Amino acid sequence: MSDLWTSEEIAQATGGAASAPFAVSGVAFDSREVGPGDLFVAMKGETTDGNKFVDKAFGQGAAGAIVNTAVDHPHILVPDSAAALEALGRASRNRMTGKVIGVTGSVGKTGTKEALFLGLDRAAPGEVHRSVKSYNNHVGVPLSLSRMPRGSAYGVFEMGMNHAGELAALTRQVRPHVAIITAIAPAHIEFFGTEAKIAEAKAEIFEGLEPGGTAIIPYDSPHVAALYSKAERHADHILTFGMSPEADIHALETIAAPGGGTLVTAKLPEAELCFTIAAPGDHWVSNALAVLAAVEAVGGDLAAAGLALAEMPGLPGRGERRILPVLGGEALLIDESYNANPLSMAATLKQLGREGADRRIAILGGMRELGDRSAELHSGLADPMAAGQVDFAILVGAEMAPLADALDGAIPYTHVPDTATAIPLIQTEMRAGDAILVKGSNGVGLSRLVAALAKSARDGDTI
């Protein structure tokens, strides 16, 4: 296997000076994630200075570093490590001769990115690269680009934003051949004011499209006309996806599948495809249609993508399902703890209502970055909770006070100040036959509740 980068290539890409020859097999900017053979990019942050962790990185096996102060290890000396990482990402993109897909949206970015990776990798194993975790910002995107192996046939990159102009900068680094917008929702509306402004900012992804590029947009979105108009200015091809028969890629039929997934018959411009989606929920049908549109656009294997969707496991924090031992039997835990906005809350509550359970419990954390619409949008979750047939709710955080008021006794609930308080409460409350949905913005920390319940299950404890 060839090296990811040599010191000569890094120096040329970044304009830096190499202290000695070396080669690396990976790239990291968090010293805790450095492994043998990695390049450690020592960056200065608001609260930390990566240069202080260079010795630690080499102690963990780093082969070289990018630094802005000379060190007693093989390194590339640059004036600005963050700018150097971005330059390295651009160099990686420049040497890539395969097809690149960019993914953004208010909801579904990471799941769609992972499904695309699995779908393409099924037909071209080992030749597909994607951004890991949710590395989708001004640091995560160049890191993900810099990690792309030379000779990759496909690259799939997630891009996020919470201010206008951010996606425009990221998409010009990624330079996708295909750009997807999954959906538009009032996430980060605190910084935009209106959902229309969010759609406008998401549409910046089309600005970086390569010549001959394809824009993929959600037909069922109320903002489809604005997205289409923007796409027309930058894309040579436009594909729409959705449940409407007017969409270029749409579902002809959906049937509930055993285990909670969905059997879908989809119509594409030149074919029909019948496949199963392992992940439950209507929102995953939409994500899958976007995946098929992208696979079609890059000339990939649609049948292989369909098989991958049938085998795709749930992602931690984004729909992973766990069976927990409880007194007298088992309970189902649905982990959606990574993020939340009104659209994704409604979608997952709707799916909770479809679960075959004795009781449906919703542990809901506050939705962040909603600005002056926070109270309205939180109280608006009362109807989706009723539709989800929630039997009992634990509401976590101060943001949930308006929802508690809106429920007005219609659904039994307990409102607690934080996750630490919620953990012993659910451990006492849950029982056999329950389906438990855990969902909230990442900052609420509901992942700690999931981890606590999972640890009890691993330790063989009966809750």
Side-chain angles (χ1 to χ4, degrees):
M1 180 181 293
S2 60
D3 297 317
L4 181 63
W5 295 102
T6 66
S7 54
E8 182 179 0
E9 290 171 329
I10 299 168
Q12 183 176 1
T14 62
S19 67
F22 62 86
V24 300
S25 55
V27 183
F29 61 68
D30 186 335
S31 61
R32 295 167 296 183
E33 296 182 356
V34 171
D38 279 351
L39 173 71
F40 175 54
V41 184
M43 295 193 296
K44 289 185 177 180
E46 295 181 1
T47 58
T48 60
D49 182 351
N51 291 280
K52 297 179 180 179
F53 301 98
V54 170
D55 288 342
K56 177 184 176 183
F58 278 91
Q60 293 174 192
I66 292 178
V67 295
N68 51 36
T69 302
V71 296
D72 294 330
H73 300 284
H75 65 268
I76 307 293
L77 184 62
V78 298
D80 184 333
S81 297
L85 177 60
E86 184 174 321
L88 192 63
R90 290 185 185 277
S92 178
R93 177 63 185 88
N94 287 339
R95 74 183 183 183
M96 203 276 193
T97 59
K99 295 293 185 181
V100 173
I101 302 169
V103 183
T104 194
S106 300
V107 294
K109 294 186 296 294
T110 301
T112 298
K113 177 256 297 181
E114 291 295 320
L116 261 171
F117 167 76
L118 292 171
L120 293 169
D121 188 70
R122 177 89 185 213
E127 298 180 32
V128 187
H129 173 74
R130 95 289 206 183
S131 48
V132 299
K133 300 183 179 179
S134 288
Y135 284 163
N136 61 21
N137 62 7
H138 66 288
V139 178
V141 167
L143 175 69
S144 298
L145 283 166
S146 69
R147 289 172 163 178
M148 182 163 53
R150 60 183 85 225
S152 295
Y154 300 101
V156 186
F157 297 93
E158 177 181 342
M159 289 175 271
M161 60 90 203
N162 56 21
H163 289 86
E166 289 181 298
L167 263 179
L170 296 178
T171 190
R172 289 188 171 96
Q173 294 177 47
V174 174
R175 291 170 30 223
H177 298 93
V178 177
I180 303 170
I181 295 178
T182 57
I184 304 296
H188 313 301
I189 201 166
E190 174 183 2
F191 307 118
F192 293 95
T194 68
E195 201 171 276
K197 289 291 186 181
I198 295 172
E200 184 179 323
K202 292 294 184 184
E204 291 174 10
I205 192 173
F206 302 138
E207 296 177 14
L209 275 168
E210 289 286 89
T214 299
I216 297 176
I217 61 179
Y219 188 89
D220 299 328
S221 170
H223 307 286
V224 62
L227 298 177
Y228 205 99
S229 176
K230 179 77 169 185
E232 285 183 312
R233 299 199 291 275
H234 300 282
D236 284 9
H237 310 283
I238 301 174
L239 288 172
T240 59
F241 68 93
M243 302 304 292
S244 169
E246 301 300 317
D248 297 315
I249 292 89
H250 62 269
L252 292 172
E253 186 178 27
T254 60
I255 301 172
T262 308
L263 178 65
V264 181
T265 301
K267 179 73 171 66
L268 291 89
E270 304 295 334
E272 288 187 11
L273 183 68
C274 186
F275 62 99
T276 298
I277 306 168
D282 294 343
H283 55 296
W284 258 107
V285 175
S286 180
N287 291 348
L289 295 173
V291 167
L292 295 182
V295 172
E296 170 102 329
V298 297
D301 188 326
L302 289 168
L307 291 172
L309 286 165
E311 298 170 354
M312 182 176 177
L315 304 175
R318 294 180 171 89
E320 185 176 49
R321 297 160 75 89
R322 299 172 182 264
I323 301 298
L324 304 177
V326 297
L327 188 64
E330 297 176 332
L332 170 66
L333 178 68
I334 304 168
D335 177 13
E336 288 275 358
S337 61
Y338 186 80
N339 211 343
N341 60 56
L343 183 62
S344 64
M345 279 283 202
T348 50
L349 284 165
K350 180 179 180 180
Q351 179 57 36
L352 179 63
R354 295 172 175 170
E355 299 292 342
D358 296 336
R359 288 193 311 167
R360 299 174 182 86
I361 297 176
I363 304 174
L364 304 181
M367 302 179 290
R368 302 287 170 86
E369 298 182 352
L370 298 181
D372 58 10
R373 293 190 62 193
S374 180
E376 167 205 345
L377 293 171
H378 279 90
S379 64
L381 295 177
D383 287 342
M385 288 179 69
Q389 302 180 63
V390 174
D391 296 296
F392 176 68
I394 299 175
L395 309 181
V396 183
E399 298 100 333
M400 280 294 173
L403 175 58
D405 292 339
L407 291 176
D408 193 27
I411 296 173
Y413 71 88
T414 297
H415 186 197
V416 298
D418 51 39
T419 295
T421 311
I423 292 172
L425 179 59
I426 187 59
Q427 289 175 327
T428 302
E429 175 67 31
M430 63 192 294
R431 57 180 186 247
D434 286 347
I436 305 164
L437 169 67
V438 182
K439 189 167 182 65
S441 287
N442 195 38
V444 179
L446 288 176
S447 59
R448 297 195 300 274
L449 181 149
V450 172
L453 297 181
K455 182 178 185 303
S456 295
R458 287 195 305 272
D459 293 345
D461 298 336
T462 299
I463 300 173

